[in-house]
Amino acid sequence: MFDDQQPIYRQIADQIRQDILGGRLEEEEQVMSTNQYAAFYRINPATAQKAFQNLVDDGVLYKKRGIGMFVQAGARAKLQEEHRASFFGQRLDPILTEARVIGISAADLIAYISLKQGKDSGQ
Amino acid sequence: MNIEIRNIHQRFGDTIALNDLSLSIEGTKIIGLLGRNGSGKSTLLNIIAGFRKPTSGKVLMDGEPVFENGRITERLALIREVGDTVEDSEKVEEALRYAAYLRPNWNDERARYLLDRFEVSLKSKISSLSRGRRSALGIALGLAAQADLTMLDETYLGLDAPSRYLFYDELLQDYMNQPRTFILSSHLIEEIARFLEDIVIIDHGKLMFHGNTEQFVSQGAAVTGNAADVDRFVVGKKVIGERQLGRTKSAMVYGEINIGFLEQASTDGLDVESLGVQDLFVYLTQPKDE
């Protein structure tokens, strides 16, 4: 469920970010409690707490006293922008490096992307 | 709740089981006590529980000595390998009655629920229980005691994997419903690491590490690449293990892994990977060659 390379709290925070980006968590929707996360993933509640704190600090979640954690309004657009900023450097560069190593040309890549994008927009 | 372990020495004849061990435990946490066989884990837990007076040094709970102090020891529960606080000739339900008498915060409903989940019959004779069921009885008695400090010393022995996961789930539930301190000793580090907030490592009777689990993990890394590059990179760093495959070498490094470290490794074309709790523990405590 988790890989060893990232602290678990960060993996949980990233998962919640992905849930918001993918629409599985709506803005102003309540997030499961730290105890529910802890029980589900069999992790220490302090770890779940730390993930939530991380998201509060980043302005993704906010706390309603006595009720729980909620997704901040505008969180999705904010996350999209952040992920767009890191998409080319962090996601695409390693793929381009791999393509070069195995001998896939830029033209092949562009042709594949056009084909995929064409298909998606044609649906 | 606070536990002060002060300069504990324990000798058994010529053997030094614990060597000037000091440790302070505060707040409500799930703590993992890790150490190899014979490292002194069980001796330490017995001393904390007041079952044994150390050769020298003392243990205080909220400022009061634990040894021969009934007011304090009723707030502690130590569950050892085979739930040995109960008589073999008794039935399980008699063990519950005895625990209810001894334990000020005894939760009988919780005990019966746990025994039911672990499929231990109240009518069974304790002597007739399998090793796994005896462990389950120990766990039920330990959790239902609702003590301020609950110590579970390798209580997983004999439990199959589904029962162990049941134990972890119930332990977490207990901790969340009623936050208190748990100390867990186990060799199944990989299984329990995720819910340990803190880790205590003892090696050869001495304290090797006490601190936050994430902090512990962040101090260990495997640096992998061309052997000559790796050798150059680790100069001046604490190397706790090495593995080599042809020209590729991994050096396990223990210490502060900061941005400078990662950037240097990246510049040198080396891969840096986290070791995880179990591997880091293994490298730190493995027998040295010399």
Side-chain angles (χ1 to χ4, degrees):
Chain A
M1 210 161 351
F2 297 107
D3 72 44
D4 269 357
Q5 296 307 315
Q6 287 270 355
I8 291 171
Y9 83 87
R10 204 171 294 163
Q11 296 184 51
I12 292 190
D14 282 345
Q15 177 132 26
I16 293 173
R17 286 192 180 91
Q18 288 300 336
D19 285 347
I20 295 169
L21 277 170
R24 288 177 295 278
L25 265 175
E26 297 290 340
E27 293 179 1
E28 297 294 351
E29 186 183 340
Q30 184 168 8
V31 182
M32 293 285 130
S33 71
T34 46
N35 281 2
Q36 286 168 314
Y37 269 93
F40 183 80
Y41 289 114
R42 291 197 176 93
I43 55 169
N44 195 289
T47 308
Q49 189 83 52
K50 202 168 165 188
F52 281 24
Q53 192 52 50
N54 181 279
L55 293 165
V56 169
D57 292 345
D58 285 358
V60 175
L61 299 184
Y62 69 98
K63 189 174 186 168
K64 278 190 196 170
R65 222 161 265 292
I67 306 177
M69 289 287 180
F70 289 78
V71 180
Q72 188 76 257
R76 183 167 303 147
K78 183 184 150 76
L79 287 171
Q80 277 175 340
E81 192 177 309
E82 284 169 14
H83 283 232
R84 265 201 301 274
S86 63
F87 177 78
F88 290 97
Q90 282 179 22
R91 306 289 245 195
L92 205 50
D93 281 2
I95 293 171
L96 294 181
T97 305
E98 191 182 343
R100 200 178 319 121
V101 169
I102 60 180
I104 294 175
S105 71
D108 290 343
L109 286 170
I110 292 165
Y112 182 77
I113 292 166
S114 314
L115 182 75
K116 275 289 194 190
Q117 297 284 50
K119 245 189 211 163
D120 286 354
S121 58
Q123 277 174 357
Chain B
M1 200 274 318
N2 127 352
I3 300 274
E4 275 293 322
I5 296 155
R6 286 198 194 150
N7 308 101
I8 297 283
H9 283 267
Q10 179 65 57
R11 283 177 163 280
F12 295 113
D14 287 342
T15 314
I16 298 172
L18 293 172
N19 188 354
D20 195 24
L21 195 138
S22 295
L23 185 65
S24 160
I25 292 167
E26 270 168 53
T28 55
K29 287 180 178 172
I30 304 178
I31 300 165
L33 176 61
L34 312 180
R36 304 189 59 215
N37 290 333
S39 58
K41 296 185 304 274
S42 296
T43 307
L44 177 63
L45 292 179
N46 282 326
I47 292 171
I48 296 176
F51 287 177
R52 165 180 289 284
K53 189 177 175 13
T55 311
S56 66
K58 59 182 164 188
V59 177
L60 305 174
M61 183 178 189
D62 291 337
E64 285 193 58
V66 295
F67 189 69
E68 289 183 342
N69 185 342
R71 237 174 339 129
I72 290 293
T73 48
E74 70 179 21
R75 296 172 55 198
L76 302 161
L78 169 59
I79 303 300
R80 293 189 282 201
E81 192 189 317
V82 276
D84 54 358
T85 49
V86 289
E87 290 291 330
D88 268 4
S89 56
E90 287 179 346
K91 285 184 179 163
V92 170
E93 58 186 358
E94 285 159 341
L96 295 197
R97 256 199 302 279
Y98 185 56
Y101 164 76
L102 277 180
R103 293 291 174 186
N105 293 328
W106 178 252
N107 185 335
D108 207 53
E109 196 188 327
R110 180 84 179 133
R112 284 164 193 270
Y113 165 82
L114 289 168
L115 291 171
D116 183 52
R117 299 249 16 219
F118 283 109
E119 298 169 318
V120 178
S121 157
L122 291 171
K123 303 285 174 205
S124 295
K125 257 186 146 185
I126 290 165
S127 57
S128 72
L129 295 176
S130 68
R131 192 174 196 193
R133 295 254 156 77
R134 282 175 83 101
S135 291
L137 173 60
I139 288 164
L141 293 173
L143 295 184
Q146 303 190 116
D148 291 342
L149 172 63
T150 307
M151 295 175 277
L152 297 151
D153 189 9
E154 299 194 18
T155 8
Y156 61 87
L157 289 169
L159 292 182
D160 57 15
S163 306
R164 289 202 301 276
Y165 278 81
L166 178 61
F167 163 45
Y168 303 148
D169 284 345
E170 293 299 337
L171 172 73
L172 264 178
Q173 275 311 326
D174 243 56
Y175 173 68
M176 292 189 292
N177 293 341
Q178 197 195 346
R180 52 202 205 267
T181 304
F182 289 91
I183 302 178
L184 235 68
S185 93
S186 174
H187 290 305
L188 303 179
I189 299 171
E190 207 92 305
E191 283 189 6
I192 64 168
R194 279 200 238 143
F195 56 80
L196 301 177
E197 187 166 350
D198 282 3
I199 286 179
V200 173
I201 298 178
I202 322 185
D203 194 40
H204 294 97
K206 286 190 162 185
L207 183 69
M208 178 180 258
F209 178 88
H210 176 209
N212 181 267
T213 306
E214 259 166 32
Q215 182 209 336
F216 176 66
V217 176
S218 72
Q219 292 182 351
V223 179
T224 306
N226 186 287
D229 296 337
V230 171
D231 287 338
R232 213 173 309 118
F233 180 81
V234 299
V235 171
K237 297 184 173 67
K238 187 176 179 190
V239 177
I240 52 173
E242 291 184 337
R243 300 173 81 79
Q244 193 151 356
L245 180 68
R247 277 194 290 267
T248 302
K249 183 171 182 175
S250 284
M252 319 310 158
V253 179
Y254 183 64
E256 199 193 343
I257 315 289
N258 53 26
I259 296 284
F261 181 106
L262 296 173
E263 280 175 352
Q264 186 59 51
S266 166
T267 309
D268 295 354
L270 304 174
D271 280 335
V272 179
E273 285 197 309
S274 167
L275 282 171
V277 179
Q278 176 150 308
D279 281 3
L280 185 53
F281 168 79
V282 168
Y283 283 113
L284 281 172
T285 59
Q286 70 191 351
K288 304 292 179 278
D289 287 338
E290 71 266 31

